[in-house]
Amino acid sequence: MTADTDLDALVAGLRRSPREDFNELEAARRAAEAALPPESTIIPMPELPPLWPHPRSCIVRFLCALECGWAHEENAYECDREPVRFPLGGSLGDVDRVLAEHAEQQGVVLRARVEAAIRGHFAEAHPGQEPPERSAW
């Protein structure tokens, strides 16, 4: 490649519209989503809390899928009590990595806790019946 062809390619890239960029990103997202196997979960869609300053603004409820009236409640404000530790002199990439790892770990812990509560409820209130699964997406 010569300097002129490099410049021509750069100029051609700059002439793209934002819509073309969006369409390309959206096509890539759809392709990646289609490549993943569908993930299932026994966790029902949560009932989200009312907005602050309501006294229960932090309580997320997971209702029984069989609509028996039972619900597992999670306090969203107390879910993450563990401090996040950043490396001294770390870059923004290090901070991003640490936050992503911490969020992933907290998500795994929360999911395990909610699944355990749901399985315990089904064992006690609906013996012999498995919790229904739904698509996690």
Side-chain angles (χ1 to χ4, degrees):
M1 272 190 173
T2 67
D4 289 339
T5 56
D6 289 343
L7 183 59
D8 291 342
L10 180 63
V11 169
L14 293 175
R15 288 189 181 148
R16 291 173 44 143
S17 71
R19 172 56 74 188
E20 290 172 315
D21 290 336
F22 174 78
N23 289 341
E24 183 180 324
L25 288 171
E26 187 65 15
R29 184 193 64 76
R30 283 193 193 119
E33 189 176 273
L36 293 173
E39 185 179 342
S40 63
T41 182
I42 63 167
I43 300 174
M45 289 298 292
E47 182 182 274
L48 298 177
L51 296 175
W52 189 86
H54 190 278
R56 293 184 55 83
S57 66
C58 58
I59 305 299
V60 179
R61 299 181 72 214
F62 298 91
L63 303 173
C64 177
L66 301 181
E67 299 178 1
C68 70
W70 176 87
H72 173 72
E73 295 183 346
E74 286 285 333
N75 187 329
Y77 296 160
E78 292 181 358
C79 281
D80 192 11
R81 291 185 170 184
E82 193 174 309
V84 181
R85 292 170 176 43
F86 298 102
L88 288 175
S91 67
L92 287 177
D94 293 333
V95 170
D96 183 50
R97 179 187 50 77
V98 167
L99 289 175
E101 288 172 358
H102 183 76
E104 181 69 28
Q105 177 187 16
Q106 293 302 313
V108 168
V109 169
L110 175 65
R111 182 177 183 156
R113 190 170 53 239
V114 173
E115 284 180 350
I118 291 170
R119 289 192 191 285
H121 166 70
F122 268 78
E124 183 179 305
H126 311 290
Q129 188 168 4
E130 288 294 314
E133 290 189 357
R134 68 170 185 84
S135 173
W137 307 107

